[in-house]
Amino acid sequence: MDISIELVNKDATRQALTVEQWQFAGGEQHVRLAGFDRQQLQSAIIYARLQSSDAIMQLLLIKDALDRAAPGIQVSLQLPYFPYARQDRVCVAGEAFSAAVMAGVLRNAGFSQIRCWDLHSAVSEQLLEAEQVHQAQLVCQFPQLKQWLQSHQAALLAPDKGASHKIAKVADALSAAGIEAEVFQASKRRDPATGAILASELNADVAGRSLLILDDICDGGRTFIELARLLKQKGAARVGLYVTHGLFSRGIEPLEGLIDAVFTTDSVCPLHPFESQIVELHTLKLFE
């Protein structure tokens, strides 16, 4: 279970809370909290990586157990990756609005605060009503990434128009830190019926340049593979990729020969388990 709890006592001391978790034979989740003084408790902070439906259920059970054990205390949630964030619209009649469902579940759990990293879209922000650590803040805390940008005099690349606002803020934050990076804008052609990406397009001369693609999520990586292929066809010397949430459901091997360096955070898993001689992988570790 990748969920931990920190208790804040009335005397300002902090302690980790022990969570006993098990699954019944029928598949139901259950939790029990132990090892704290209810009379001294002031508030609690839950840190969670939610990578499965079981983990979501465990979180809700933990919140309920805290509310019952210490009624009235404030319980905040640190949730770097917001599950279902990409399903933030209904493309075809009959589909569920998954992001709205997930946001409703979390809001209705009654957390005093929810804090996420680099939410997928303005829709997710509005649905979840959470505080956010923005992409620009994360990028500027990433020493290996800043070194890569400087050593290769790299430009930033927004993979689509939706990412352009975020990338502009990243460029401004880097400039304030003494790193000047030009910004390029790519675009995507989509199937209007399904939303599937048909092709990436870029109207810019990038021959001999190093570029860093920035986005919030990498799952299978197809978007970035196609974009990196386009960049290499246009003569780009080097292509890097920054994503806040590195799901990498197919590993990073599919990026071979197209993307030279990958930068991500530990929002989804504590340590990315990929040992690859193909792609340079760097992880910014901020989440405990």
Side-chain angles (χ1 to χ4, degrees):
M1 180 173 65
D2 205 355
I3 301 174
S4 60
I5 307 169
E6 185 178 37
L7 302 180
V8 181
N9 295 314
K10 292 177 180 177
D11 62 1
T13 59
R14 297 190 176 212
Q15 69 181 89
L17 177 60
T18 301
V19 181
E20 300 174 16
Q21 178 271 330
W22 65 94
Q23 180 174 291
F24 291 110
E28 298 94 340
Q29 299 293 317
H30 199 56
V31 303
R32 181 183 296 133
L33 311 181
F36 66 100
D37 185 347
R38 293 167 175 78
Q39 302 304 315
Q40 295 302 315
L41 187 57
Q42 178 173 291
S43 61
I45 307 167
I46 300 177
Y47 302 87
R49 293 185 180 91
L50 303 181
Q51 301 181 59
S52 68
S53 297
D54 284 348
I56 294 168
M57 193 63 203
Q58 289 162 5
L59 171 65
L60 298 175
L61 293 174
I62 288 170
K63 175 60 167 61
D64 181 75
L66 278 168
D67 290 344
R68 293 176 184 279
I73 69 161
Q74 290 194 331
V75 181
S76 62
L77 174 63
Q78 299 286 326
L79 182 68
Y81 176 62
F82 171 44
Y84 296 92
R86 287 171 289 174
Q87 288 77 56
D88 61 359
R89 69 193 70 189
V90 176
C91 296
V92 179
E95 288 183 343
F97 191 0
S98 305
V101 173
M102 189 71 250
V105 167
L106 294 172
R107 287 199 320 272
N108 291 335
F111 293 103
S112 60
Q113 177 199 53
I114 300 176
R115 192 166 186 250
C116 298
W117 298 358
D118 194 5
L119 285 167
H120 181 64
S121 66
V123 175
S124 296
E125 293 184 53
Q126 293 165 2
L127 290 171
L128 192 56
E129 300 173 2
E131 293 191 12
Q132 183 177 183
V133 179
H134 293 280
Q135 187 178 97
Q137 296 170 263
L138 294 164
V139 166
C140 285
Q141 294 181 67
F142 211 140
Q144 300 101 318
L145 186 153
K146 291 191 291 183
Q147 182 180 9
W148 192 90
L149 287 169
Q150 287 182 305
S151 63
H152 300 302
Q153 298 183 322
L156 308 180
L157 178 63
D160 54 40
K161 292 180 181 178
S164 59
H165 184 60
K166 285 184 182 180
I167 309 306
K169 288 188 174 182
V170 171
D172 288 344
L174 288 171
S175 180
I179 301 172
E180 299 298 333
E182 189 176 358
V183 177
F184 289 98
Q185 173 71 64
S187 60
K188 298 173 182 174
R189 281 195 295 109
R190 294 181 180 271
D191 183 325
T194 65
I197 298 169
L198 301 176
S200 293
E201 299 174 339
L202 176 65
N203 296 316
D205 181 6
V206 296
R209 300 291 304 269
S210 295
L211 296 104
L212 179 72
I213 305 167
L214 297 100
D215 212 344
D216 59 320
I217 300 171
C218 179
D219 192 345
R222 180 185 170 190
T223 296
F224 308 115
I225 290 168
E226 295 300 323
L227 184 51
R229 182 175 288 119
L230 175 63
L231 293 173
K232 290 295 177 76
Q233 288 171 353
K234 285 179 166 287
R238 191 174 288 100
V239 178
L241 171 66
Y242 166 85
V243 287
T244 300
H245 310 295
L247 278 64
F248 302 123
S249 57
R250 296 171 57 201
I252 60 172
E253 284 72 15
L255 309 178
E256 177 183 1
L258 295 169
I259 293 177
D260 305 290
V262 176
F263 304 89
T264 188
T265 76
D266 61 346
S267 69
V268 177
C269 58
L271 294 172
H272 291 279
F274 309 118
E275 296 290 340
S276 175
Q277 302 300 316
I278 301 166
V279 178
E280 196 177 346
L281 177 68
H282 302 281
T283 305
L284 178 65
K285 301 176 180 65
L286 293 173
F287 179 61
E288 298 295 337

